[in-house]
Amino acid sequence: DAGVIQSPRHEVTEMGQEVTLRCKPISGHDYLFWYRQTMMRGLELLIYFNNNVPIDDSGMPEDRFSAKMPNASFSTLKIQPSEPRDSAVYFCASQGMKQETQYFGPGTRLLVL
Amino acid sequence: AQSVTQLGSHVSVSEGALVLLRCNYSSSVPPYLFWYVQYPNQGLQLLLKYTSAATLVKGINGFEAEFKKSETSFHLTKPSAHMSDAAEYFCAVSDPNAGNMLTFGGGTRLMVKP
């Protein structure tokens, strides 16, 4: 298996622009997680899905952030409009129903100017 | 609620020396515990995990950790540090009854001196 795939790996955009981050989980995994990593706040869970359904989005910072999982093999995290304070590394992770381990993608490094 | 505390945001050791990274957790239920490693510009990779079987867990790259319930600890050790061990290490706890959500510690950056 190719593991969790994220795209793009790097994104540079200007304040106010829409940003869409993409994730393809490991085939057969039932859970998908979106995290944000910054120097100041460390690793934060933003939202997670079970069988494509959002279960807990309490970590989503504000209404500018939205996440979708239209099918078992694809998820997006959208920021609209983006702000400089959104600059971070965003990770996607997936996990099988009967497994204890989350498998992380390589991350998307976002810079909002 | 669960929480994880990693003592020491930075640890420096000499090559060949013992590595000890500390992790204490708080959990209202028997937890699952994990150590992940993050190399520069990469995602998190599982080093090892405790899931209520043997309390001494061996992982990849010569690392091991021991679950001590009485001390609510899950410290990570390696007998002899290698330059390639330089990375950031994260301890995490999950509640098997709560969707397997992970709560991460703040991370410890390990530096290895030649």
Side-chain angles (χ1 to χ4, degrees):
Chain A
D1 200 313
V4 177
I5 299 172
Q6 291 187 247
S7 64
R9 292 294 311 276
H10 303 272
E11 177 82 28
V12 180
T13 190
E14 293 187 344
M15 183 174 64
Q17 296 298 306
E18 177 179 294
V19 175
T20 299
L21 311 181
R22 298 173 177 80
C23 175
K24 176 179 169 54
I26 293 173
S27 177
H29 280 190
D30 305 278
Y31 289 92
L32 185 139
F33 303 81
W34 280 101
Y35 292 88
R36 178 172 69 175
Q37 185 179 38
T38 61
M39 290 290 290
M40 292 297 293
R41 303 171 70 93
L43 267 167
E44 305 172 275
L45 176 65
L46 300 178
I47 184 171
Y48 81 95
F49 296 82
N50 181 19
N51 291 323
N52 313 337
V53 177
I55 303 300
D56 187 340
D57 66 354
S58 59
M60 295 285 263
E62 48 197 276
D63 292 345
R64 297 184 297 106
F65 286 69
S66 62
K68 294 182 179 180
M69 193 165 185
N71 57 62
S73 59
F74 183 66
S75 177
T76 60
L77 178 67
K78 188 173 293 186
I79 309 173
Q80 166 63 20
S82 58
E83 297 183 3
R85 59 193 168 122
D86 302 330
S87 297
V89 182
Y90 291 81
F91 289 105
C92 176
S94 71
Q95 180 176 347
M97 175 68 75
K98 296 185 178 180
Q99 298 177 346
E100 309 90 7
T101 305
Q102 289 185 23
Y103 295 88
F104 283 74
T108 295
R109 188 173 296 273
L110 173 66
L111 178 61
V112 183
L113 301 173
Chain B
Q2 300 173 300
S3 66
V4 176
T5 301
Q6 291 184 240
L7 288 174
S9 58
H10 292 79
V11 170
S12 180
V13 300
S14 297
E15 191 173 20
L18 171 71
V19 176
L20 171 61
L21 304 183
R22 299 178 186 274
C23 172
N24 288 88
Y25 70 91
S26 171
S27 178
S28 57
V29 299
Y32 289 165
L33 293 158
F34 305 80
W35 276 99
Y36 282 86
V37 60
Q38 184 180 28
Y39 298 103
N41 300 316
Q42 294 187 27
L44 278 71
Q45 177 184 356
L46 182 70
L47 262 183
L48 50 80
K49 62 184 177 184
Y50 166 78
T51 57
S52 72
T55 57
L56 181 62
V57 182
K58 295 186 185 298
I60 61 172
N61 301 338
F63 283 93
E64 63 181 38
E66 186 172 7
F67 171 66
K68 292 186 176 180
K69 183 178 179 181
S70 61
E71 299 178 7
T72 61
S73 69
F74 191 57
H75 302 330
L76 182 71
T77 60
K78 181 174 180 177
S80 177
H82 192 272
M83 296 296 290
S84 61
D85 294 328
E88 186 145 22
Y89 293 79
F90 292 92
C91 182
V93 61
S94 78
D95 179 354
N97 300 317
N100 292 305
M101 289 172 54
L102 284 176
T103 300
F104 283 92
T108 297
R109 184 168 298 278
L110 176 66
M111 294 167 284
V112 182
K113 298 175 291 187

